[in-house]
Amino acid sequence: MPSTARGLSTNPDKHPKPNVMAMAANTPTVHSPRETEQLFYHGFDNYMNHAFPEDELRPVSCKPLTRDQSNPLHYELNDALGNYSLTLIDSLSTLAILASSSSHSTDANPRALRSFQDGVALLVDYYGDGTDGVGGLGKRGRGFDVDSKVQVFETVIRGVGGLLSAHLFAIGELPIRGYDPGSQIRTSDGDGQRQIKWSRKFYYNGQLLRLAHDLGKRLLPAFYTPTGLPYPRVNLRHGVPFYDNSPYNLNAQEGQCRPAQGQNGELTETCSAGAGSLVLELTVLSRLTGDNRFEQLGKRAFWSIWERRSALGLIGSGIDAESGLWTSPFTGLGAGIDSFFEYAVKSYILLSRSPLPETQSRYSVENLPPMNLAQPLTGEHHDPESFLRVWQEAHDSIRRHLYRGRMYVHPHYVQADLYTGATRAFWMDSLSAFFPGLLALTGDLDEATETHLLFTALWNRYSALPERWSAMTGSVEGGLGWWGGRPEFIESTYYLYRATRDPWYLHVGNMVIQDIKRRCWTECGWSGIQDVRTGELNDRMESFFLGETAKYLFLLYDPGHPLNTVDMPFVFNTEGHPLILPRSSNPIVQGLRRPMVFKQEAGADANTDDMLFCPLPSPPVPLSFSAVTSRSDFFHAANLARLHQMPPPHDINSSKWEFAHGHPIISMLDTGLPLDLIYYPWTLPPELMPRNGISSKILIRPTFDITFPAHPNMAFSPGFLQRVGNGILVNSIGGLRLGMIQDGPLIIGGSGSGEAYRIQAINNIALGRDEKIFLPKDTVASVVSPLDPNFTRIRDTTMLDLVIDVGETRPYSNNDEEASRENKTESESSQRAALAETVDEASGTTSHVKAAFNTLLQHVSAMLLDQPLVGNPKKLREYVAAITPTGPGTAPLPDVEEALGPDASGAPQGLLIWHSIYVTDENCDATLSARIPKEHQAIVIKRGGCSFSQKLQNIPSFAPSANSLQIVIVVSYQDEDDLNPDWLIRPLLESTQFTSSGLPRRNPIPMIMVGGGQRMYDIFQRAVGIGIKRRYSIHAQGVPISNLVII
């Protein structure tokens, strides 16, 4: 592709145009904090001039944007706009942050600080000071007493979060350079209240906190549910009369009259993000006011979501607030789920200062609705470490089921089935661009970097992020091409720069700022883009553009800002508002002069062995300046985003040309196309290029289909494919089509060794990464040709499964001490419970993996613990992985009928062939009695004390028969530290077998070894039957299929 393909047209226009190409050839301009301040003020000033006191601004038409009163179901608009000056509330924390701009030396930015204080005064003027007296009545009413049905989530993160954050800045809990509220404290002449003097006319005494409390109390009716999940919407004046089943409507004393049943039909569906992302704001509100209801309710909602996660550790998007059931089986990282993960991490950070409130609430918390609808939270629910564990488990599940690695051109995430993990869609939305920032916050820098690269490539392609983009088609998904000024990509860029200091992220910020100026500017503000492909504007400046997008851009280019340097556990909520737990329940009175540095308390445990540290960022390669652009896979993301297929750009957009002359916001360069900001090696600034400029080869995942013809005499039945637990049982192979993919290594002993195929679809049914296909052995044998290279059945010569029937009656043992431990008077239920626990623990320590294809036994083991053998309620059947020995003394396993695996329902099938079992010790010191091998078909021996060969030599000679010794089972007690605990090392029989008299044994004894130690040894003492079951695997083109199991 020639370097001019992305260049500018040089056709003349009525205005002379600058040589943008020449300007771009120089090193890129690193935007200053002052420039990003101007970007903010262009939006804020126009909102105040054209839209205040309404919620938002129409920047194209220069008019206010209000709720859609004519259409209450216009949720996209009405959920956020509550008719309480939303943009001003969302902008206050940004103004407080701008007041510490490094461009103003050590003094506060006078314009920003004045605007912040004036904004607070305006809110109080319009909505009152939050008291019950005359001062509580503002121009628009008393507090937030407005007839607006709003979304609980949006109101908490924007309204409550914005008010709390501004309050924390006002009282000095969050820093503003040059602002010392302690020196401005005055005592009121009337009531003696301490307050901060801001001007002659305004004293700050906690008005924002009282307004936040007022707004929070108006949300409480939404939490009246039996599940702990709040209803999605609430009317700020009337509560929740539109939810027919709300317990709040059944409480004649505390609640309100119940409407006629079924007259509303209001949706009760909320989402994981909406219900589970309230902890930060509501906890801070409780700590500041002493009203602990909010903290309890926010945490209860979070844990109500997590406790409903699937067996795979995944959470869904939609969930019903009344029933607690998932309304959709889809899961992902974006809309409806995103901020739940964010709040798991940030709750851990925020609560690290004080997990539980120090003082009791002045409210009767447990007896006041809605607290009495569910069990109180435990200490674990308040523990910061519990929130961290949620993130760690959730991240592991995301990596396992949603993450697609380098075999898919460039790593990215997909939408999957909540219960199976099967891929359901390939789109990613702009909201999921938050994830690289969260990964950077948790120290997962490599994953954060590779994920961010793809979003960077997408921004480069569209000069914004479309709402949805498909990795499969490489285009906008479903026509969802708008960008409303969302901050998630800029937020992640900010976090990654703070974590790495890599100049690449300043380069990305340049690209974003230039594109916003070029595409979103209007004379009255900044507009969202209705379609990133056409540039059509949507005439709406959402409040988060000033509350988040402009804020993160400013902080990106102001490394010396107090929030970038202060050492204390504060977090940004999901609306970009900084929050921190105060160090006092009443900071207005007691806490205005506290130091800003949070240090370890004296005497605290400073043992660094148990502390978590974030990894250092990767250093740049020699002779380069950026570790990111030096990555060998740097341009793989550009390939996945199809940047190489982009057509040449159009001419300069000249609509802003006249405005650009001498204007501080739009420069002449901003009117042109982004030349030095294109994600290609020939357009990157030279200082960001790696020395060799080489990109590694893109890996292509091998895929193919295997189809089995349907024979004329084959008839398909409804049970042809049957879902069982963690996979699909195939009852007939004719007409079967398997979609194969080679997307991961073959796991042996906990590390990658070789490669494996995986069945990703069967007859167009997508499978999750952990789902398996189960094929009956007889079905495979009757259809599959042993010469077919694409589908070859191979018997495992090393691993097998030992099948054990476990009952109350144990076989004979020479260990009297063990016999005395047998409690014959124990009740049947107690015996089964204890045995189930023993078997379950043993299963966790034995080997069941050789080559990543686990057997059906794993999947049904849990069911077998609770389901006795048919016809005998005192027996359980267990499957234990076993390994054969190696060496000259190895004997082949007996040629006997194999035990059957469980049926599709998990119930045991068939009888076992060996029932006479002898359990002994290490068998090293003396020869066994001659009658033992003659009368017992299996001998169980402990590992250790002597060699395996010596153990076999101490078994007397015997005449082979159906009732004599068939197999020796060695129970291993050793843990191999260097290997996966589920793996057994093959025992070595270093010499041929000899009898106890020293003669070569004419009929060598077959031996196998199992793990599990004492727990497994105890199981054998209760064993009433033993059998063996061979393992088979299927190979395609010589490569094993990891998730196909022969049963």
Side-chain angles (χ1 to χ4, degrees):
M1 178 177 178
S3 59
T4 57
R6 292 279 290 176
L8 291 178
S9 169
T10 56
N11 294 333
D13 201 350
K14 62 179 182 179
H15 296 288
K17 297 178 182 178
N19 187 342
V20 185
M21 181 73 78
M23 297 171 66
N26 299 322
T27 57
T29 302
V30 175
H31 293 269
S32 66
R34 188 179 296 274
E35 184 175 357
T36 52
E37 288 178 50
Q38 293 167 350
L39 183 146
F40 167 82
Y41 281 121
H42 179 63
F44 180 75
D45 291 344
N46 276 288
Y47 163 75
M48 298 302 295
N49 293 332
H50 298 288
F52 181 81
E54 304 302 337
D55 285 315
E56 288 183 347
L57 167 69
R58 293 185 179 273
V60 177
S61 54
C62 300
K63 297 178 181 179
L65 179 64
T66 60
R67 295 174 55 83
D68 189 348
Q69 302 289 351
S70 62
N71 182 14
L73 299 180
H74 191 178
Y75 294 136
E76 180 186 356
L77 192 66
N78 294 338
D79 274 353
L81 305 191
N83 198 24
Y84 52 77
S85 308
L86 178 62
T87 296
L88 177 58
I89 293 177
D90 243 352
S91 300
L92 287 178
S93 64
T94 307
L95 286 166
I97 289 173
L98 294 181
S100 296
S101 173
S102 59
S103 61
H104 294 272
S105 185
T106 59
D107 297 327
N109 181 340
R111 178 184 179 184
L113 183 58
R114 184 174 62 250
S115 297
F116 169 70
Q117 296 175 341
D118 290 346
V120 173
L122 271 175
L123 275 180
V124 174
D125 186 34
Y126 275 80
Y127 302 98
D129 61 7
T131 63
D132 296 329
V134 177
L137 184 63
K139 292 180 179 178
R140 281 202 154 190
R142 185 175 294 277
F144 296 100
D145 182 25
V146 291
D147 187 11
S148 299
K149 183 168 74 174
V150 296
Q151 190 185 82
V152 173
F153 169 68
E154 292 289 354
T155 306
V156 168
I157 65 171
R158 301 196 199 195
V160 176
L163 292 168
L164 291 175
S165 183
H167 170 73
L168 292 169
F169 276 111
I171 64 175
E173 285 287 340
L174 290 171
I176 298 177
R177 182 182 285 118
Y179 170 66
D180 182 9
S183 64
Q184 304 174 38
I185 292 181
R186 302 292 185 270
T187 301
S188 172
D189 295 333
D191 54 9
Q193 183 181 22
R194 303 180 73 188
Q195 49 194 1
I196 304 170
K197 182 180 180 181
W198 280 358
S199 67
R200 290 183 178 180
K201 297 181 179 180
F202 188 82
Y203 289 77
Y204 185 76
N205 57 22
Q207 295 94 326
L208 293 179
L209 176 60
R210 293 192 293 272
L211 286 173
H213 194 206
D214 173 76
L215 184 56
K217 289 186 292 185
R218 296 179 184 278
L219 302 177
L220 287 179
F223 290 86
Y224 282 66
T225 68
T227 61
L229 302 170
Y231 285 115
R233 295 174 181 87
V234 64
N235 186 290
L236 294 178
R237 176 175 292 167
H238 302 297
V240 289
F242 34 79
Y243 291 119
D244 295 341
N245 299 321
S246 169
Y248 187 72
N249 296 327
L250 303 178
N251 189 341
Q253 222 174 6
E254 302 282 349
Q256 57 197 61
C257 294
R258 180 177 179 175
Q261 177 68 28
Q263 75 177 34
N264 295 290
E266 182 75 20
L267 292 176
T268 58
E269 178 186 356
T270 184
C271 62
S272 295
S277 305
L278 310 173
V279 177
L280 303 181
E281 299 84 358
L282 297 187
T283 296
V284 172
L285 180 59
S286 284
R287 302 300 178 90
L288 287 167
T289 62
D291 186 348
N292 290 351
R293 290 176 297 175
F294 301 103
E295 180 173 355
Q296 295 277 336
L297 293 171
K299 290 178 177 178
R300 179 179 294 169
F302 177 91
W303 291 111
S304 293
I305 290 290
W306 183 242
E307 288 165 0
R308 288 168 170 81
R309 66 192 182 277
S310 72
L312 302 180
L314 299 172
I315 61 173
S317 175
I319 188 170
D320 187 82
E322 293 182 342
S323 68
L325 299 177
W326 298 110
T327 59
S328 170
F330 283 69
T331 184
L333 291 180
I337 302 177
D338 50 355
S339 54
F340 178 86
F341 306 126
E342 177 186 359
Y343 274 45
V345 173
K346 292 182 177 179
S347 294
Y348 164 69
I349 298 172
L350 182 77
L351 295 171
S352 64
R353 169 172 282 185
S354 175
L356 289 171
E358 299 175 359
T359 58
Q360 294 294 323
S361 172
R362 64 173 179 266
Y363 298 87
S364 181
V365 174
E366 296 304 329
N367 297 324
L368 188 66
M371 300 303 296
N372 57 6
L373 295 178
Q375 293 295 323
L377 297 177
T378 65
E380 183 179 0
H381 291 139
H382 294 285
D383 186 3
E385 296 290 338
S386 297
F387 289 92
L388 178 62
R389 286 192 291 270
V390 169
W391 158 250
Q392 291 169 337
E393 183 178 336
H395 186 212
D396 289 343
S397 298
I398 290 169
R399 288 280 300 184
R400 179 65 182 166
H401 301 288
L402 306 184
Y403 178 82
R404 306 181 93 193
R406 290 179 172 83
M407 296 294 292
Y408 295 83
V409 182
H410 185 81
H412 59 282
Y413 305 89
V414 296
Q415 313 299 309
D417 187 279
L418 176 63
Y419 304 103
T420 68
T423 300
R424 296 302 185 202
F426 300 92
W427 54 262
M428 45 196 291
D429 59 14
S430 60
L431 285 169
S432 60
F434 88 100
F435 200 60
L438 183 61
L439 292 170
L441 192 62
T442 59
D444 299 295
L445 289 182
D446 187 66
E447 186 181 353
T449 301
E450 66 185 18
T451 306
H452 185 269
L453 279 175
L454 179 56
F455 287 109
T456 303
L458 289 175
W459 184 287
N460 193 169
R461 175 175 175 179
Y462 294 105
S463 294
L465 281 186
E467 184 67 8
R468 282 189 186 179
W469 177 83
S470 172
M472 174 66 72
T473 64
S475 59
V476 172
E477 173 84 4
L480 304 180
W482 63 80
W483 181 71
R486 289 197 188 278
E488 286 75 17
F489 175 61
I490 296 96
E491 174 188 3
S492 288
T493 304
Y494 162 72
Y495 277 117
L496 275 163
Y497 180 68
R498 296 305 309 162
T500 65
R501 301 297 198 277
D502 195 300
W504 161 253
Y505 297 108
L506 298 178
H507 176 75
V508 173
N510 287 345
M511 174 178 67
V512 171
I513 292 174
Q514 184 177 347
D515 284 336
I516 289 175
K517 290 182 176 183
R518 184 171 56 88
R519 307 193 75 190
C520 303
W521 176 88
T522 72
E523 291 191 21
C524 292
W526 305 100
S527 175
I529 303 173
Q530 186 62 32
D531 192 326
V532 296
R533 297 164 295 185
T534 65
E536 176 188 359
L537 300 180
N538 64 8
D539 198 16
R540 181 180 181 184
M541 186 177 73
E542 298 212 41
S543 67
F544 54 66
F545 182 82
L546 299 181
E548 294 185 83
T549 307
K551 179 182 298 171
Y552 286 122
L553 283 173
F554 170 78
L555 289 173
L556 175 65
Y557 292 102
D558 192 358
H561 192 279
L563 288 184
N564 286 333
T565 57
V566 71
D567 181 17
M568 57 185 187
F570 82 94
V571 294
F572 291 96
N573 82 337
T574 196
E575 189 70 11
H577 297 303
L579 296 173
I580 191 171
L581 291 183
R583 301 181 195 179
S584 168
S585 60
N586 190 353
I588 284 290
V589 177
Q590 304 174 16
L592 295 176
R593 290 182 177 272
R594 287 192 281 286
M596 298 307 301
V597 178
F598 181 73
K599 297 181 178 179
Q600 182 175 333
E601 298 294 334
D605 184 9
N607 183 4
T608 58
D609 293 340
D610 298 328
M611 298 177 65
L612 297 177
F613 292 93
C614 290
L616 292 174
S618 301
V621 299
L623 304 180
S624 68
F625 293 90
S626 170
V628 177
T629 57
S630 300
R631 291 173 60 101
S632 60
D633 63 346
F634 180 66
F635 294 107
H636 293 185
N639 183 279
L640 183 59
R642 280 71 162 184
L643 279 178
H644 56 289
Q645 299 177 3
M646 289 297 294
H650 298 293
D651 196 5
I652 289 180
N653 183 354
S654 59
S655 62
K656 308 178 186 69
W657 184 252
E658 294 180 1
F659 183 85
H661 287 281
H663 198 279
I665 300 174
I666 302 295
S667 67
M668 290 185 291
L669 183 60
D670 293 326
T671 64
L673 292 166
L675 296 179
D676 61 328
L677 306 176
I678 292 177
Y679 188 9
Y680 278 106
W682 51 83
T683 54
L684 281 175
E687 68 271 15
L688 291 182
M689 280 297 298
R691 179 177 57 85
N692 53 20
I694 295 175
S695 178
S696 64
K697 181 181 178 180
I698 294 178
L699 301 177
I700 303 298
R701 62 196 185 283
T703 60
F704 64 93
D705 288 347
I706 299 176
T707 303
F708 299 91
H711 299 293
N713 59 346
M714 286 187 175
F716 293 98
S717 64
F720 160 57
L721 297 177
Q722 185 177 359
R723 183 166 288 281
V724 289
N726 67 334
I728 294 179
L729 175 66
V730 179
N731 294 310
S732 175
I733 204 169
L736 194 68
R737 184 172 69 256
L738 304 177
M740 313 296 296
I741 185 170
Q742 191 172 357
D743 64 350
L746 182 66
I747 304 300
I748 297 180
S751 61
S753 176
E755 296 178 336
Y757 281 106
R758 177 174 63 88
I759 301 174
Q760 64 174 341
I762 176 170
N763 284 26
N764 294 327
I765 301 174
L767 297 178
R769 188 176 293 274
D770 290 337
E771 286 194 288
K772 297 175 175 61
I773 297 296
F774 302 110
L775 282 177
K777 181 178 64 175
D778 296 339
T779 300
V780 177
S782 62
V783 177
V784 176
S785 169
L787 301 179
D788 185 352
N790 290 323
F791 207 77
T792 307
R793 190 184 73 157
I794 298 178
R795 189 172 75 176
D796 195 327
T797 59
T798 303
M799 298 295 298
L800 68 151
D801 292 300
L802 191 65
V803 186
I804 311 170
D805 277 344
V806 188
E808 291 186 2
T809 304
R810 66 175 180 85
Y812 174 81
S813 172
N814 65 344
N815 192 327
D816 293 335
E817 181 180 355
E818 293 173 357
S820 67
R821 291 200 301 263
E822 186 80 7
N823 188 351
K824 296 297 184 182
T825 62
E826 189 176 17
S827 68
E828 178 179 336
S829 59
S830 299
Q831 178 73 15
R832 282 177 51 81
L835 177 60
E837 180 180 356
T838 301
V839 173
D840 184 55
E841 293 178 355
S843 300
T845 59
T846 57
S847 169
H848 56 278
V849 178
K850 177 191 176 184
F853 22 88
N854 299 330
T855 66
L856 178 61
L857 319 175
Q858 279 182 289
H859 139 61
V860 298
S861 61
M863 291 186 290
L864 292 177
L865 294 177
D866 296 324
Q867 181 168 346
L869 194 65
V870 176
N872 188 349
K874 296 184 179 181
K875 286 196 294 185
L876 294 173
R877 179 162 291 184
E878 177 66 6
Y879 299 82
V880 181
I883 192 168
T884 59
T886 185
T890 302
L893 294 176
D895 186 13
V896 296
E897 181 180 357
E898 292 188 23
L900 297 177
D903 61 17
S905 65
Q909 299 185 97
L911 299 176
L912 303 183
I913 59 174
W914 300 324
H915 300 280
S916 178
I917 307 160
Y918 181 84
V919 182
T920 185
D921 54 15
E922 288 86 355
N923 199 37
C924 292
D925 298 331
T927 303
L928 294 176
S929 171
R931 65 180 179 83
I932 291 177
K934 296 178 182 179
E935 299 175 358
H936 296 85
Q937 297 164 310
I939 296 178
V940 179
I941 301 174
K942 292 182 179 181
R943 180 179 180 179
C946 59
S947 68
F948 296 108
S949 297
Q950 183 63 46
K951 295 177 186 293
L952 296 180
Q953 187 171 349
N954 286 337
I955 298 175
S957 300
F958 60 94
S961 70
N963 295 321
S964 64
L965 182 60
Q966 304 291 315
I967 194 167
V968 170
I969 304 167
V970 177
V971 180
S972 175
Y973 280 67
Q974 297 185 7
D975 294 328
E976 285 76 24
D977 296 333
D978 297 333
L979 294 177
N980 187 303
D982 289 337
W983 176 246
L984 291 169
I985 297 178
R986 296 186 71 180
L988 173 64
L989 296 176
E990 68 278 2
S991 63
T992 57
Q993 293 190 26
F994 292 90
T995 65
S996 56
S997 60
L999 298 176
R1001 192 181 292 275
R1002 178 175 299 180
N1003 299 298
I1005 304 173
M1007 188 194 88
I1008 59 175
M1009 186 172 72
V1010 300
Q1014 186 62 43
R1015 297 181 184 88
M1016 184 56 61
Y1017 189 76
D1018 293 341
I1019 289 176
F1020 280 114
Q1021 289 187 311
R1022 295 187 177 95
V1024 296
I1026 290 178
I1028 59 174
K1029 181 178 178 298
R1030 300 279 192 172
R1031 290 188 178 187
Y1032 296 87
S1033 62
I1034 298 294
H1035 287 223
Q1037 300 176 358
V1039 179
I1041 302 175
S1042 62
N1043 63 335
L1044 194 149
V1045 179
I1046 305 298
I1047 61 175

